[in-house]
Amino acid sequence: MKNIIIGQYIPGSGFLYKLDPRTKIISVIVLMVAVFLLKSIVQLSIAMGLAILILIAGKISIIRIFRGLKPIFVLLIFTFVFQIFFNKEGALWVDETMTIGFVSITSMVLWTIIWRMLAKFKKFKMILFILYIGGLYLIMKYITYGTIFTTWQFLVYEKGVEMSFFVVIRLLIIITLSTVLTLTTKPTDLTQGIEKLMRPLKVIGISSEDFALIISISLRYIPTILDEANKIMLAQASRGADFAEGKLKDKIKQIISLLVPMFIIAFKRSEDLADAMESRNFVPGRERTRIHDLKLGRLDLLTGLATVLLLAGSILVRIYL
Amino acid sequence: MGYLDIEHLYFQYSSKRMILKDINLSINQGEWIAILGHNGSGKSTLAKLIVGLLQPKEGRITVDGVDLLPENVYDIRKKIGIVFQNPDNQFVGVTVRDDIAFGMENLQVSKDDMLKKIDFYATKVGMQNFLDKEPSQLSGGQKQRIAIAGILAMQTDIIIFDEATSMLDPGSRAELMEYIKELHQEGLTIIMITHDIEEALYADKLVILKSGEIYQQGDIPTLLKHPEWFKEAYLELPTAIQIYYDLKQAGHDNQELEEYLWAFSSSK
Ligand SMILES: Nc1ncnc2c1ncn2[C@@H]1O[C@H](COP(=O)(O)OP(=O)(O)O)[C@@H](O)[C@H]1O
Ligand SMILES: [Mg+2]
């Protein structure tokens, strides 16, 4: 629970920190669109290069971004594998006969058990996972003796490989861009930026101030709520509950025994909070001044310009290449 | 007529049961009054009525001669601030600075003015070095001090503390009481709601609430002469006073000790 980081802002000094949040939000969105206009691996690789240049210019450690990728590692692998398996266009590159038989299934089960036993080395989770998948491949390919149940063809096509790289690189760029945004912008500034950008929605009756307030209060209370969940879990663990192990039925019971008190507390909290806000003269929809004031500077102009150029570039590439 | 007057106030929530019955109370500017009552006696309900979070069933509340009505509750709240019990449930801002600013933002104070006042009042409660901290980095006592700073920045005349120290450790509790004493000396009117008699001893005047009614009110030494009243209202006596009565009942009549124990309780 402790390592869930909300709004993974990390203080720093690069130029990205000096930009107005509005500039960053818009630029990130525009650049994402630009990335989606690109259609070859070469173009995407250049875009990736540019993204890395932005990181370097903004003095952001690339390792940081990489660490941020960890949670979606599985998604990346899945995307990659999905493309390789299901895209059947272009030249046939790999054609392997895979065997499933008594001996190979036994081996796979053993291999899985070994993998699960090693799972306690959390640090090497990714490497172990890759080794595991690789192992399964080798088992199906080379363990061909004993009773054979069935065989299947492992086919990889040129386009499949290309597309899997294409999709994964694109995903990487998108994630890098959004990570840059949240890494260099304080949550308060981010909500402030969103609030200002949503101003025009007032015409259709959406109050951007209220919306921003809801976001910022949620941000403010997430750590408190997690802390509370931790306390309740500890209290219940001390009475013998075990959240890590146990049957599914027990787990569900324990989760319910966690959620019920959490909901009760949250309900009381929201009542208290409404009272506290009202007693400090908050009236929904009423004009308020703001302590955070956003100002656009020269840097924002330059960034905006660069963003527009990049978008124009990818539009041209899209049309002419 | 006091600064804050409550006349024949009745209140009930949706259920039939009357929670507050015929409350009459008059509080002068600069006074420190303690409202003491057992759990569920209606203390918080009374506090919410005073700041207009609830509307009376019957009776009236006037502040500075103006009736507290839904139409003018916004203006009356500029005069009365309230610090609630749970430090975590009233911290609205993402940072200390934002939280102190919240009330002022609602009052449309200009940004420059806000920044000055934040500095001033954060310093006043000893939190000037914490302006960029988030609530999860603060102790309960610090959060309550921030709540006070936020109210001071709104420049109210009265601050209500609704069991504001009850969730704090003894150290932060004593610290907070010192800050409140200081505010009182500077002329703020303090309404201290508590179920802890030791805390009530700081006040000029004590109001004992029992099951939604004002059971006794008066100055503290007078009330302490009647230990049976406290018992009747499900309250404890200050430890020193309790010792005095226990000794007396056991037949010990030591004039010197008696004086010492009484002085001990009124030294707050
Ligand atoms: N929102 C509510 N709805 C209904 N009853 C309430 C509500 N809040 C408090 N009460 C009831 O009103 C009585 C007084 O509560 P409260 O003012 O919180 O007492 P105190 O602060 O002295 O402990 C209690 O009996 C409580 O159960
Ligand atoms: Mg209460």
Side-chain angles (χ1 to χ4, degrees):
Chain A
M1 281 287 187
K2 279 275 179 268
N3 35 20
I4 301 175
I5 301 167
I6 310 296
Q8 6 159 9
Y9 172 75
I10 294 168
S13 61
F15 85 98
L16 291 165
Y17 287 89
K18 300 193 179 78
L19 286 174
D20 186 297
R22 287 170 290 182
T23 313
K24 279 188 269 188
I25 295 169
I26 295 205
S27 295
V28 163
I29 293 171
V30 168
L31 289 179
M32 283 183 181
V33 170
V35 165
F36 271 95
L37 290 175
L38 301 176
K39 48 184 182 180
S40 81
I41 288 205
V42 178
Q43 292 163 10
L44 269 180
S45 304
I46 292 170
M48 188 76 208
L50 286 173
I52 290 172
L53 273 183
I54 294 174
L55 291 182
I56 294 170
K59 295 193 215 158
I60 293 172
S61 126
I62 294 172
I63 295 174
R64 257 270 125 84
I65 301 276
F66 231 84
R67 254 189 246 151
L69 288 178
K70 247 183 186 170
I72 52 132
F73 179 72
V74 174
L75 177 70
L76 284 176
I77 295 250
F78 182 79
T79 314
F80 193 84
V81 171
F82 186 85
Q83 289 295 338
I84 286 210
F85 267 95
F86 294 101
N87 197 313
K88 303 215 178 298
E89 286 166 54
L92 185 62
W93 278 7
V94 177
D95 182 0
E96 303 283 1
T97 306
M98 306 299 249
T99 321
I100 295 178
F102 185 72
V103 181
S104 67
I105 284 183
T106 315
S107 312
M108 282 194 272
V109 169
L110 280 175
W111 184 232
T112 307
I113 291 171
I114 292 171
W115 174 59
R116 285 320 302 165
M117 277 163 63
L118 291 173
K120 65 177 180 219
F121 300 106
K122 293 217 167 61
K123 261 193 167 162
F124 304 104
K125 215 166 146 189
M126 277 193 218
I127 298 169
L128 287 171
F129 183 68
I130 294 170
L131 282 178
Y132 173 66
I133 299 290
L136 290 184
Y137 172 81
L138 294 177
I139 288 169
M140 286 191 279
K141 177 153 188 233
Y142 293 110
I143 300 188
T144 53
Y145 35 84
T147 323
I148 306 288
F149 301 140
T150 180
T151 62
W152 57 285
Q153 294 302 115
F154 176 51
L155 305 171
V156 176
Y157 294 84
E158 183 188 354
K159 270 273 182 259
V161 176
E162 206 183 303
M163 271 314 280
S164 55
F165 275 105
F166 184 83
V167 173
V168 166
I169 294 177
R170 193 161 67 183
L171 209 54
L172 279 176
I173 300 176
I174 302 284
I175 290 160
T176 306
L177 286 174
S178 48
T179 311
V180 164
L181 178 65
T182 52
L183 213 58
T184 64
T185 319
K186 282 188 204 155
T188 33
D189 292 343
L190 207 54
T191 38
Q192 187 83 4
I194 294 171
E195 175 186 336
K196 289 272 159 73
L197 290 173
M198 281 177 53
R199 274 275 157 86
L201 292 185
K202 202 148 221 173
V203 200
I204 54 167
I206 294 173
S207 161
S208 62
E209 283 106 340
D210 291 355
F211 183 75
L213 196 65
I214 291 168
I215 300 180
S216 81
I217 287 178
S218 315
L219 284 175
R220 179 253 168 275
Y221 276 99
I222 287 169
T224 312
I225 289 167
L226 291 180
D227 213 43
E228 224 155 57
N230 240 341
K231 273 188 210 147
I232 297 171
M233 273 163 78
L234 275 178
Q236 284 171 355
S238 73
R239 275 185 264 130
D242 185 349
F243 285 91
E245 305 290 321
K247 289 195 203 92
L248 185 64
K249 201 177 119 198
D250 294 338
K251 265 191 185 164
I252 290 173
K253 254 192 197 158
Q254 275 148 13
I255 287 171
I256 290 174
S257 70
L258 175 67
L259 285 182
V260 170
M262 279 188 69
F263 264 103
I264 292 172
I265 294 171
F267 202 73
K268 167 81 177 131
R269 164 164 295 139
S270 62
E271 273 182 355
D272 283 0
L273 193 62
D275 280 347
M277 288 169 67
E278 204 183 328
S279 74
R280 283 157 81 182
N281 256 338
F282 176 73
V283 182
R286 193 179 173 123
E287 192 73 40
R288 324 170 56 218
T289 46
R290 306 304 302 271
I291 181 110
H292 297 282
D293 227 3
L294 302 181
K295 274 205 190 75
L296 295 171
R298 268 234 326 266
L299 206 54
D300 294 292
L301 188 70
L302 289 175
T303 306
L305 224 74
T307 307
V308 170
L309 282 178
L310 286 173
L311 178 66
S314 61
I315 290 174
L316 290 178
V317 163
R318 173 85 184 194
I319 296 172
Y320 293 108
L321 289 184
Chain B
M1 280 273 290
Y3 184 70
L4 170 73
D5 283 310
I6 301 174
E7 290 165 41
H8 303 294
L9 183 83
Y10 288 79
F11 179 82
Q12 64 191 148
Y13 289 102
S14 45
S15 71
K16 283 274 170 333
R17 191 165 60 98
M18 206 52 93
I19 301 292
L20 290 174
K21 283 158 272 184
D22 197 20
I23 303 290
N24 291 283
L25 207 56
S26 181
I27 298 166
N28 294 318
Q29 198 141 30
E31 231 178 355
W32 179 334
I33 85 151
I35 297 177
L36 186 67
H38 59 86
N39 251 337
S41 57
K43 304 183 295 294
S44 296
T45 307
L46 180 57
K48 286 181 191 171
L49 281 156
I50 296 174
V51 292
L53 289 170
L54 298 171
Q55 273 73 50
K57 173 96 168 48
E58 261 175 64
R60 61 196 276 234
I61 298 173
T62 55
V63 180
D64 205 2
V66 180
D67 265 300
L68 172 56
L69 298 169
E71 305 83 276
N72 59 17
V73 67
Y74 184 86
D75 291 315
I76 293 215
R77 280 189 193 133
K78 290 180 189 166
K79 298 183 173 149
I80 311 181
I82 177 165
V83 180
F84 294 97
Q85 179 173 21
N86 191 332
D88 252 319
N89 292 3
Q90 54 186 317
F91 201 106
V92 185
V94 178
T95 63
V96 168
R97 182 181 287 106
D98 294 2
D99 192 66
I100 299 179
F102 184 74
M104 288 191 283
E105 290 178 326
N106 295 334
L107 294 179
Q108 298 175 47
V109 176
S110 76
K111 185 183 173 184
D112 289 340
D113 226 14
M114 268 198 266
L115 289 172
K116 271 186 226 137
K117 284 187 180 153
I118 290 170
D119 265 334
F120 184 80
Y121 290 107
T123 308
K124 185 148 197 89
V125 296
M127 293 295 288
Q128 66 277 21
N129 298 326
F130 293 81
L131 288 178
D132 285 311
K133 292 269 183 289
E134 292 172 19
S136 54
Q137 299 166 299
L138 303 176
S139 72
Q142 289 174 327
K143 280 178 218 166
Q144 294 301 63
R145 273 146 66 190
I146 295 305
I148 294 176
I151 291 167
L152 292 178
M154 293 171 76
Q155 282 160 327
T156 62
D157 303 324
I158 304 179
I159 301 191
I160 303 175
F161 293 90
D162 185 1
E163 306 210 40
T165 65
S166 67
M167 291 177 78
L168 308 183
D169 57 89
S172 337
R173 214 169 173 177
E175 204 177 47
L176 199 71
M177 289 309 292
E178 286 308 312
Y179 280 110
I180 299 173
K181 251 161 106 174
E182 217 172 280
L183 298 177
H184 178 238
Q185 273 156 18
E186 288 171 17
L188 247 84
T189 309
I190 310 284
I191 301 178
M192 186 95 192
I193 292 176
T194 178
H195 66 260
D196 179 357
I197 174 71
E198 303 281 353
E199 222 170 74
L201 293 177
Y202 289 83
D204 307 324
K205 189 178 148 190
L206 182 60
V207 176
I208 297 180
L209 211 58
K210 182 190 164 193
S211 312
E213 284 176 281
I214 292 188
Y215 175 62
Q216 299 292 340
Q217 59 176 314
D219 64 291
I220 294 170
T222 312
L223 292 183
L224 288 178
K225 297 257 156 54
H226 298 273
E228 71 280 3
W229 287 349
F230 288 83
K231 203 172 163 214
E232 280 284 309
Y234 315 106
L235 295 164
E236 284 180 21
L237 281 168
T239 315
I241 302 297
Q242 186 64 53
I243 293 174
Y244 161 75
Y245 282 120
D246 287 352
L247 285 175
K248 197 172 171 187
Q249 198 166 31
H252 301 280
D253 234 348
N254 183 329
Q255 191 69 28
E256 217 178 313
L257 183 63
E258 176 181 329
E259 275 165 19
Y260 171 75
L261 289 171
W262 279 92
F264 183 84
S265 279
S266 45
S267 64
K268 306 266 164 80

